[in-house]
Amino acid sequence: MARKSKASEDTESILARLRRESLSDYDAPKDMLQAADIGDAKSAYETTADVSDANDTESEKEPQDPASALGEDRPRQSAAELLQELLADEERRGEIAASLEEKKEPPAQGGFLQGLFENWLSPEGRMGQKLFVFHFIGSMMSAAGLTALIMGAAAAVLSWLGAGRPMPSESLSLAAGFAALLCVSVPLALLLIVFLRSAMRRWHDLGYGDTTWLIAVICPLAVLALAAEARSLLLYLNLPPLLGVTAEHFLLRSFLPYGCTAGALLVLLHIFLLFAEGELSSNASGSPESAERLRPQIAERPTENYPFFLRMIQFKGRMNRKRFLLRLLFLLFFVCLLLFVILETAERLPPPLSDAVALYGTAAACALASILPTGIVFQRLHDIGRSGWLAGPPLILTLAFIACLAFFGGDLRVLAHEPFGIEIIAAAFLLEVYEVFLFAALVFIKGSVLSNDYGEAPLQRQ
């Protein structure tokens, strides 16, 4: 209260001083300059006017307005009154803003999946050194526990089958195989994503962006994976003798060189992330205070105008990384389920028909897996400022290769002995290289929070 009364006294003194200074700018008598407000100035002026009228009765005049007598150029409203009105307006605005703030509802909290993604799977924001150490230890413990759980479950199933106990029903083979695949692959994939996303946030805390992460980390890992696939392809097609290389070459002998190189790269990366000091100032990924929180500082996500399935077939607009990954995982899950159904159906048919169903059904499922993500790939390319047609020619070439492979029975060795077969396989491998790097760019490059030629941003600034 004392502070408030002092502030009001200071305001009154400032107003009185402004009144005196506003009146001192004009040629007024001394008595008028000592007045505190316009009313006192008016009475002082009337007193001096009576004295002058007594001395000169011939020049009698009508009483004039004090404001006009003080000067023709003087404004009708003094600076003190203007300041007083401005202060009153500011006070009214503050009261209105306070009332609106009280009536404002708190922002709606997301569900469990949204909180899980933002806390553990989000690549946005920063992560401090201490938080990253705890996150790293937790990821290692989770990986050890998950591995032990999977190995224990596999050992239990093998011991149960080894005791001579048959499966309850043949119709459960598809469900059991699909459930086993999900129980093994999905937790491991989520753990790997958590591992990489926490490393990305720590990378941001050091002052580096998503492009440098893509070039320095993701591209070398993708090159190693493609080299391992090329090694398997060469051995499958028996091409080393044609290339003048023996099958006993250390690059063709096993996957050990590729796996060891990838492991060494990840170890060096995490040693650097564990011991490097983060930036003490704010950067493009957030403030230093946000690096100490598990929940990152994520831009606002406006609501979508299209339903989930309709949004996936749109070729206009933009899409951020989270929605792209969620829709892509859903599509891959659907295609895997369809492929399992096709193969299980082919096993129950007679041999001539089963081979055709397995071959052409698998080709159709692969073609569907290439066509379905086209809409979200177009939107994701728009989000990073690129034309969606960067994914058009690769899609056509992929469908052509799938049709060519199905025509030759789905065996690459048969295709390799045909005219231009090696060239077709090499072109298909180069197409896969392009698609891998395109997919890496779509996943790890963040789109702009500003509007571009393709529409409004899916993420807004906070």
Side-chain angles (χ1 to χ4, degrees):
M1 293 295 295
R3 185 176 300 177
K4 184 175 181 182
S5 61
K6 185 178 183 305
S8 61
E9 291 175 1
D10 293 340
T11 304
E12 293 296 333
S13 62
I14 291 172
L15 289 174
R17 183 172 59 82
L18 286 174
R19 292 189 189 102
R20 291 194 297 270
E21 291 178 357
S22 62
L23 294 175
S24 64
D25 294 337
Y26 307 99
D27 296 332
K30 185 176 180 180
D31 296 337
M32 190 192 323
L33 295 177
Q34 294 177 353
D37 52 15
I38 298 299
D40 296 337
K42 181 178 180 181
S43 61
Y45 177 78
E46 289 176 352
T47 303
T48 55
D50 293 337
V51 174
S52 61
D53 288 343
N55 295 331
D56 191 8
T57 57
E58 296 180 355
S59 58
E60 246 181 342
K61 300 181 181 179
E62 295 180 0
Q64 299 179 358
D65 186 65
S68 61
L70 289 174
E72 295 180 358
D73 297 332
R74 182 184 181 277
R76 290 186 176 274
Q77 194 175 25
S78 64
E81 293 175 345
L82 286 173
L83 179 60
Q84 195 168 5
E85 289 184 2
L86 290 175
L87 291 176
D89 291 341
E90 189 68 24
E91 186 177 356
R92 285 195 296 272
R93 289 173 186 169
E95 293 176 356
I96 294 173
S99 62
L100 292 177
E101 189 69 23
E102 292 177 357
K103 295 179 181 179
K104 185 177 179 181
E105 298 181 356
Q109 299 292 332
F112 173 75
L113 293 179
Q114 183 177 355
L116 177 66
F117 182 85
E118 293 182 354
N119 290 339
W120 299 98
L121 306 180
S122 175
E124 302 178 15
R126 300 171 60 174
M127 181 175 287
Q129 187 178 19
K130 186 183 299 184
L131 185 59
F132 179 72
V133 170
F134 287 118
H135 200 283
F136 180 80
I137 295 174
S139 299
M140 292 293 99
M141 295 177 62
S142 301
L146 184 61
T147 303
L149 181 62
I150 292 174
M151 293 179 64
V157 172
L158 290 177
S159 63
W160 180 53
L161 294 178
R165 299 175 181 177
M167 296 293 291
S169 174
E170 292 183 359
S171 61
L172 295 179
S173 59
L174 174 61
F178 194 65
L181 180 63
L182 288 180
C183 290
V184 174
S185 61
V186 172
L188 291 178
L190 287 177
L191 188 62
L192 180 62
I193 293 175
V194 169
F195 204 64
L196 290 177
R197 293 305 174 87
S198 62
M200 283 189 69
R201 291 182 59 187
R202 180 69 182 132
W203 184 268
H204 294 161
D205 188 53
L206 301 179
Y208 304 106
D210 293 336
T211 304
T212 55
W213 172 265
L214 178 65
I215 296 174
V217 179
I218 302 302
C219 287
L221 293 176
V223 168
L224 290 173
L226 291 171
E229 183 183 357
R231 174 251 178 198
S232 302
L233 187 62
L234 291 175
L235 293 178
Y236 179 75
L237 298 177
N238 196 18
L239 294 178
L242 297 178
L243 300 176
V245 181
T246 61
E248 296 299 324
H249 195 275
F250 76 98
L251 293 177
L252 300 177
R253 190 180 306 168
S254 65
F255 289 103
L256 192 60
Y258 311 100
C260 291
T261 304
L265 178 62
L266 291 176
V267 168
L268 292 176
L269 171 67
H270 283 81
I271 290 176
F272 172 69
L273 296 178
L274 285 171
F275 294 100
E277 293 291 338
E279 287 189 339
L280 300 179
S281 60
S282 300
N283 55 25
S285 300
S287 61
E289 293 78 14
S290 65
E292 305 302 326
R293 298 193 299 265
L294 182 61
R295 180 181 291 272
Q297 185 177 359
I298 300 178
E300 298 178 359
R301 297 182 177 92
T303 56
E304 289 187 332
N305 299 325
Y306 300 96
F308 183 83
F309 293 100
L310 185 60
R311 185 66 174 173
M312 290 192 295
I313 60 175
Q314 294 285 330
F315 289 91
K316 296 181 181 180
R318 298 167 58 181
M319 182 175 293
N320 63 314
R321 290 179 292 184
K322 174 191 172 182
R323 290 171 176 169
F324 174 74
L325 283 175
L326 292 179
R327 284 160 175 79
L328 187 64
L329 290 176
F330 173 79
L331 292 176
L332 291 179
F333 178 84
F334 172 73
V335 171
C336 289
L337 181 60
L338 178 62
L339 187 59
F340 272 99
V341 170
I342 291 173
L343 294 178
E344 184 69 16
T345 304
E347 289 181 0
R348 300 177 182 275
L349 295 176
L353 186 59
S354 62
D355 296 337
V357 170
L359 175 61
Y360 296 110
T362 303
C366 293
L368 194 63
S370 302
I371 295 174
L372 287 180
T374 305
I376 60 176
V377 169
F378 268 60
Q379 296 176 59
R380 187 71 190 98
L381 284 169
H382 292 167
D383 189 45
I384 61 177
R386 299 293 182 267
S387 174
W389 291 108
L390 290 175
L395 173 63
I396 298 174
L397 295 176
T398 301
L399 295 177
F401 178 73
I402 292 174
C404 180
L405 191 60
F407 180 76
F408 289 101
D411 194 348
L412 288 176
R413 289 175 293 188
V414 176
L415 178 60
H417 290 86
E418 295 294 329
F420 302 103
I422 298 297
E423 289 79 1
I424 294 175
I425 296 175
F429 182 76
L430 293 177
L431 178 63
E432 182 182 2
V433 171
Y434 174 81
E435 291 177 345
V436 166
F437 284 101
L438 177 64
F439 177 76
L442 296 180
V443 171
F444 291 100
I445 293 182
K446 182 180 179 180
S448 174
V449 295
L450 303 177
S451 301
N452 58 16
D453 297 337
Y454 302 100
E456 298 292 334
L459 293 180
Q460 298 176 353
R461 292 185 185 273
Q462 287 187 331

